[in-house]
Amino acid sequence: QEVFRYRHSVVVISKDCQRNIVNILDKLTNPTVYTQNRISCVEKLGDVKYNIQGIDVSPGLSKENTYYEVYSKVLAAESQKSKVYTLILEDDVVFLSRTPERVVFEHTTSFFSNDNLWFDCSKRGYFNRITGHNGNKALCRIHNTKHLPKLVDCLNSIPQVARIPVDLQLRSCRQLYSFNESRFLLVQHGGLESTIQNI
């Protein structure tokens, strides 16, 4: 989908490019992989076909705070791009469609919504009907790129000792700026325990 490629930056967050990342990348166009272990990812994926970016995190953080910091740094990096939306996936999702880019295109074009909406693509929803929170965390999120600096500032304003899981903090930050979130079902959790933590 040419329109999808024009409008969307695609990101996969992975600790070391294990789990289901190969199957995920095979279904996406020009994805960027953000990782805490770039060497492992280059060995597994090669550094020609994929754009692999290393992320440094503060030592000694809990698993939740490490993921919080990783996610915030990914958002900050993506905020420099010129796409309308930033699609962020975890590395253990399973696509529920053989054509995931088409599904994203159909749910994020202005025919159904507007560019001020944000999307949780791991939960059922109905077009642009605003919905609440549930436990699927940050498996698959689509962020409005031009507003990412505000989101990053909000995330980084929270002291480490006061941080809650990043998916809950994202919700609070969106509410602060009146950013509405819609839902559609693109992925399901692969069932593996999270590995995003200090290495």
Side-chain angles (χ1 to χ4, degrees), residues 137-170:
K137 300 195 175 180
L139 286 177
C140 179
R141 295 292 175 99
I142 300 174
H143 300 281
N144 185 304
T145 306
K146 73 177 180 180
H147 294 305
L148 284 183
K150 291 182 180 179
L151 201 62
V152 172
D153 286 346
C154 179
L155 290 175
N156 291 341
S157 70
I158 309 299
Q160 284 186 5
V161 294
R163 288 179 177 174
I164 59 178
V166 71
D167 59 311
L168 300 178
Q169 192 61 59
L170 286 169

Side-chain angles (χ1 to χ4, degrees), residues 46-177:
D47 59 355
V48 176
K49 186 175 181 181
Y50 302 110
N51 178 16
I52 302 172
Q53 299 293 322
I55 291 184
D56 294 323
V57 295
S58 304
L61 297 178
S62 67
K63 183 187 293 187
E64 286 284 4
N65 278 344
T66 297
Y67 190 66
Y68 188 110
E69 185 170 320
V70 167
Y71 207 95
S72 178
K73 288 186 174 183
V74 168
L75 293 180
E78 289 296 307
S79 71
Q80 305 302 310
K81 297 183 179 179
S82 59
K83 305 289 187 179
V84 176
Y85 288 118
T86 301
L87 165 62
I88 301 182
L89 299 160
E90 293 188 6
D91 68 351
D92 64 337
V93 298
V94 177
F95 288 117
L96 301 178
S97 168
R98 294 180 180 178
T99 56
E101 292 181 354
R102 181 173 182 81
V103 174
V104 172
F105 167 77
E106 290 174 347
H107 284 275
T108 60
T109 53
S110 57
F111 181 78
F112 292 134
S113 61
N114 64 67
D115 291 340
N116 290 322
L117 280 173
W118 305 59
F119 299 89
D120 183 334
C121 36
S122 66
K123 304 174 181 69
R124 289 198 181 278
Y126 185 73
F127 299 132
N128 62 351
R129 175 177 288 178
I130 299 168
T131 54
H133 170 79
N134 76 11
N136 250 4
K137 300 195 175 180
L139 286 177
C140 179
R141 295 292 175 99
I142 300 174
H143 300 281
N144 185 304
T145 306
K146 73 177 180 180
H147 294 305
L148 284 183
K150 291 182 180 179
L151 201 62
V152 172
D153 286 346
C154 179
L155 290 175
N156 291 341
S157 70
I158 309 299
Q160 284 186 5
V161 294
R163 288 179 177 174
I164 59 178
V166 71
D167 59 311
L168 300 178
Q169 192 61 59
L170 286 169
R171 178 184 61 174
S172 297
C173 291
R174 281 195 311 273
Q175 291 173 344
L176 176 66
Y177 294 110

Side-chain angles (χ1 to χ4, degrees), residues 19-35:
R19 307 212 289 182
N20 195 39
I21 193 165
V22 173
N23 291 328
I24 295 169
L25 296 177
D26 282 347
K27 293 180 174 62
L28 300 171
T29 303
N30 299 324
T32 299
V33 177
Y34 288 93
T35 178

